Amino acid sequence: MKFLRDKIDQIKKPFEKGQKFEKFAPAINALDTFLYVPNHTTKHGAHIRDAVDLKRTMITVVLALVPALLFGIYNAGYQHFIQLNDGVLPPFMDIFLHGLWKVLPMIIVSYAVGLGIEFAFAIFRGHEVNEGYLVSGLLIPMVMPVDFPLWMLAISVAFAVVIGKEAFGGTGMNVFNPALLARAFAFFAYPTFMSGDKIWVSDASTIDGVSGETILGSLAQGKEVAYSTMEMFLGFIPGSVGETSVLAILIGAFVLIATGVGSWKIMVSGVVGAAATALMFNAVGLTALMNFDWVNHLVVGGFAFGIVFMATDPVSAAQTDKGKIIYGLLIGFFSITIRVFNPAYPEGVMLAILLMNTLAPTIDYFVVNGNITKRKKRLAKAKQLKSA
């Protein structure tokens, strides 16, 4: 490894302060700190040194996403052949390669556009490259339909990075989750490419008679659901690239909780909030979406993916312990409520998380002030007892 270290140090020389390419130092430093922990130290004030820096935290999230991504690639090929090939499935590798052929360009475009903008802003502003896009760059293609045009994806990524992050000051300063902002932009800018029965199965638009609609889309139109709960849990259903398999998402959730990167309080309270809301609507039972079993509500659409990978965003989520529970409960409540009451937005988790991103600072404010008030009361009571 010393050879690699020496080689990188040699490459960095023209980018050092006072050298010819000093302005482009953030770009080469990004590569260096991606491979090695930064070798500079803080010279002023108290600080804590930890080997787990932001890049390694982001890489942990990327690793947690891998099971859902691999299954999403396979499911993209599976849905293509099961619906366009009269239910006849080719060998496993052919299915996987078809999915890879569709999904890989989306990932490449997402990283190329997003990191390109991040590098440009870092050089222009003279600061280091922000690491947050390592996760957002993978999340964005995973929440899109498999046939979403690449140029639309590129514009959605640019909107999310420029308006959602850089306009607020970059990683750590954004109010909204950038990946969800990209999806929201795509949803409202290109609605015909984000909903309907032709976008969730690759090449479905080229053949008539393909029923590629999602379960929530079918329920919104009052149609019967043709899938079992187990099929929904495993993920063999139409949907966004990485959102269909709850099993794969649970593996990622375990990684995030075990490493301390993701908040279990948000995940658990989100599921409790959604389950309680779905049970309440089951009791009312006026529409197909209200009658949809509460367990099935938890395993379809993007709810599981959103609550594990989006709602737990450490920047845009609530920060206090009690605030995280309130934040998660409300995301669960709004996800199911939007899903049931507005057939135009059957995928309610996206809007629910964006709404709660807005309210997260307010929740923390009231939680902190509530604690201050309690302590003041305890202090006043202690003074009274002491003086008595």
Side-chain angles (χ1 to χ4, degrees), residues 104-334:
L104 187 59
M106 298 174 73
I107 297 174
I108 293 172
V109 167
S110 176
Y111 274 119
V113 175
L115 287 177
I117 295 172
E118 293 267 8
F119 275 62
F121 268 91
I123 292 170
F124 177 73
R125 290 176 170 172
H127 62 65
E128 297 299 322
V129 173
N130 296 322
E131 299 89 345
Y133 198 75
L134 290 175
V135 172
S136 300
L138 188 55
L139 283 174
I140 291 173
M142 291 179 74
V143 297
M144 297 293 185
V146 67
D147 265 355
F148 193 59
L150 295 179
W151 70 269
M152 292 183 187
L153 178 67
I155 293 176
S156 303
V157 168
F159 179 86
V161 176
V162 175
I163 305 299
K165 283 181 65 180
E166 298 301 338
F168 290 94
T171 297
M173 306 297 287
N174 49 293
V175 175
F176 302 104
N177 182 297
L180 276 181
L181 209 56
R183 177 164 172 159
F185 174 82
F187 188 85
F188 291 107
Y190 313 110
T192 56
F193 291 88
M194 291 294 292
S195 60
D197 60 353
K198 297 292 185 184
I199 60 165
W200 308 105
V201 177
S202 70
D203 301 332
S205 59
T206 61
I207 299 176
D208 292 331
V210 174
S211 178
E213 200 161 42
T214 64
I215 292 172
L216 293 174
S218 297
L219 287 169
Q221 297 181 38
K223 297 178 182 177
E224 292 290 327
V225 175
Y227 300 95
S228 67
T229 301
M230 184 54 70
E231 286 175 315
M232 300 175 198
F233 177 76
L234 295 177
F236 294 102
I237 54 176
S240 298
V241 171
E243 294 183 346
T244 61
S245 176
V246 176
L247 176 61
I249 292 166
L250 284 176
I251 295 171
F254 175 77
V255 173
L256 294 182
I257 293 172
T259 55
V261 172
S263 169
W264 66 267
K265 293 184 178 72
I266 293 176
M267 295 184 203
V268 173
S269 58
V271 172
V272 170
T277 308
L279 275 168
M280 181 181 69
F281 285 128
N282 281 177
V284 178
L286 297 179
T287 64
L289 275 165
M290 283 187 176
N291 277 318
F292 195 48
D293 190 84
W294 70 274
V295 174
N296 292 341
H297 263 298
L298 303 180
V299 295
V300 298
F303 175 75
F305 190 87
I307 207 71
V308 170
F309 294 111
M310 305 288 200
T312 56
D313 180 355
V315 176
S316 56
Q319 305 297 312
T320 58
D321 286 344
K322 191 180 290 184
K324 288 176 181 175
I325 294 172
I326 297 170
Y327 174 82
L329 283 170
L330 289 175
I331 286 177
F333 169 76
F334 283 121

